[in-house]
Amino acid sequence: MLKNILKNFISRIGSVIGVSVKNTYDPNVETSMLALGTILTNQQLLIDSTNINDYEFKIFSQFGDDGIIQYLIRNIKIENETFIEFGVESYYESNTRFLLMNNNWSGFVMDGSKESMQNLYYQSWYWRYDLNQKAAFIDKENVNDLIRSSGFSNLGLLHIDGNDYHILEEIDFSELNPSILIMEYNSVFGNERLISTPYRKDFYRTKAHYSNLYFGASLPALNFLANKKGYALVGCNKAGNNSFFVRKDLLNEKVKEISIDQAYKVSKFRESRDINNDLTYISGNDRMELLRGMEVLNVVTQKIENI
């Protein structure tokens, strides 16, 4: 009974406190949110479960990823409390900001917007934390040099967003060696085909297809590559957009590998657009119908197929 009450509490309050984080760096709002985040983190200790979804809550993450990350870092060995996150936009809403502020991890963030990265310098909290940033459009040719510029090795957490499969394939893990790997997957691609959008250095999802749904890779494709690099799938967030992998040598009774069928979540958020770039709120299988005929890469055969 207590376990169920706590699960509901974490889920509900996690949604409520994700208020206007996008629109403000107000110190008072941040102080309240961080205090609530500490409470939610401590409440996790009362839950007896190995399902990462039972620990979800959001403080600065878009969905429940903050809670999942707190559970993982508490239950696996982390050699260095460091993170790298790609594609953070303004960093108002991200998967590592709570790690930075609550757990005092050191971090390196990147985004293609020079303005967004420069604005971080002017935030009232910036001097309190060990955060560095770089404005860069990440591609296969520059990703390893960008990562090396962070100075990190044996990383605690790596979050890749954008051209996901191709960037992951290119990264040299020999020194980076992250404990936790977070990858965005495209739920619309389903949980059976091992497919990704073909690589394009200048890939931009809205330009690639007006629907805004043609991007990234399927969960099976990411799992295929992560396994080859020594990582095991431990779950996906309930929102159905981020997958979580842990280095295989760090798995234990609290953090276990699960199957794609167990992990996969169908996304319910509605971000589809029409040719005028207006939201259409299409959901379910109708989203796939918008992409019929689009080219995808079979990551096993390396051949182009069609949706």
Side-chain angles (χ1 to χ4, degrees):
M1 173 69 82
L2 177 60
K3 181 172 73 172
N4 291 333
I5 291 173
L6 287 171
K7 285 181 185 177
N8 290 332
F9 170 77
I10 286 178
S11 177
R12 290 182 180 182
I13 198 168
S15 298
V16 170
I17 64 176
V19 287
S20 52
V21 125
K22 277 189 172 182
N23 303 315
T24 181
Y25 269 139
D26 185 298
N28 294 322
V29 172
E30 286 177 347
T31 298
S32 299
M33 293 176 72
L34 288 168
L36 285 166
T38 300
I39 293 171
L40 292 170
T41 299
N42 292 335
Q43 290 289 331
Q44 288 185 337
L45 296 171
L46 302 177
I47 299 176
D48 181 19
S49 172
T50 58
N51 183 344
I52 65 172
N53 300 124
D54 291 336
Y55 298 91
E56 290 196 28
F57 64 78
K58 58 173 290 183
I59 301 298
F60 299 121
S61 56
Q62 186 176 25
F63 296 108
D65 304 71
D66 281 331
I68 292 174
I69 292 168
Q70 290 297 305
Y71 174 75
L72 292 177
I73 66 171
R74 188 172 61 249
N75 287 292
I76 66 171
K77 181 181 179 181
I78 303 292
E79 183 173 346
N80 294 313
E81 294 182 341
T82 52
F83 64 79
I84 295 175
E85 184 172 6
F86 301 169
V88 297
E89 297 182 351
S90 64
Y91 206 55
Y92 285 112
E93 188 175 69
S94 75
N95 275 356
T96 58
R97 192 171 161 211
F98 190 59
L99 265 179
L100 178 78
M101 294 181 164
N102 181 70
N103 303 93
N104 204 29
W105 280 35
S106 299
F108 180 63
V109 297
M110 289 178 277
D111 192 82
S113 169
K114 185 176 181 180
E115 180 182 5
S116 293
M117 293 295 91
Q118 286 181 331
N119 283 342
L120 285 175
Y121 286 110
Y122 306 113
Q123 303 310 317
S124 61
W125 52 262
Y126 185 78
W127 65 274
R128 297 189 183 97
Y129 305 102
D130 183 17
L131 180 69
N132 290 302
Q133 66 275 340
K134 185 181 288 288
F137 289 98
I138 300 159
D139 56 49
K140 292 173 65 172
E141 288 73 34
N142 67 13
V143 63
N144 284 309
D145 286 340
L146 289 170
I147 286 174
R148 278 191 287 270
S149 72
S150 72
F152 293 151
S153 60
N154 293 318
L155 192 70
L157 182 148
L158 173 65
H159 184 186
I160 302 173
D161 185 14
N163 255 333
D164 307 69
Y165 183 91
H166 307 288
I167 296 301
L168 176 62
E169 186 176 39
E170 195 67 24
I171 293 176
D172 180 2
F173 273 46
S174 58
E175 291 187 12
L176 193 64
N177 202 33
S179 300
I180 300 167
L181 175 64
I182 304 175
M183 298 283 293
E184 182 182 20
Y185 70 99
N186 190 340
S187 164
V188 178
F189 286 171
N191 66 340
E192 295 181 358
R193 297 177 69 184
L194 285 77
I195 56 175
S196 169
T197 53
Y199 179 71
R200 283 187 57 181
K201 185 176 181 177
D202 61 347
F203 184 86
Y204 181 56
R205 60 188 287 189
T206 306
K207 290 183 178 179
H209 191 267
Y210 71 86
S211 68
N212 213 36
L213 300 176
Y214 178 69
F215 68 93
S218 66
L219 180 61
L222 295 177
N223 185 60
F224 170 76
L225 182 55
N227 261 275
K228 289 183 12 178
K229 289 183 173 284
Y231 289 79
L233 178 65
V234 298
C236 299
N237 64 7
K238 286 186 285 189
N241 75 319
N242 279 329
S243 55
F244 291 78
F245 299 85
V246 168
R247 215 171 65 221
K248 290 180 180 179
D249 63 298
L250 300 177
L251 297 172
N252 55 59
E253 288 302 309
K254 290 284 189 178
V255 181
K256 302 178 181 181
E257 182 173 15
I258 64 175
S259 69
I260 290 172
D261 286 343
Q262 290 173 305
Y264 175 77
K265 304 290 188 299
V266 178
S267 61
K268 301 293 181 65
F269 49 87
R270 300 175 297 168
E271 57 182 344
S272 62
R273 295 180 179 271
D274 61 21
I275 57 175
N276 296 315
N277 203 36
D278 294 323
L279 284 166
T280 57
Y281 304 104
I282 293 173
S283 60
N285 293 331
D286 291 339
R287 296 177 298 179
M288 178 64 90
E289 293 304 315
L290 289 176
L291 302 181
R292 290 294 177 196
M294 295 297 292
E295 291 186 343
V296 288
L297 174 71
N298 182 315
V299 302
V300 178
T301 66
Q302 291 297 301
K303 293 181 179 180
I304 297 296
E305 300 176 352
N306 295 102
I307 294 177

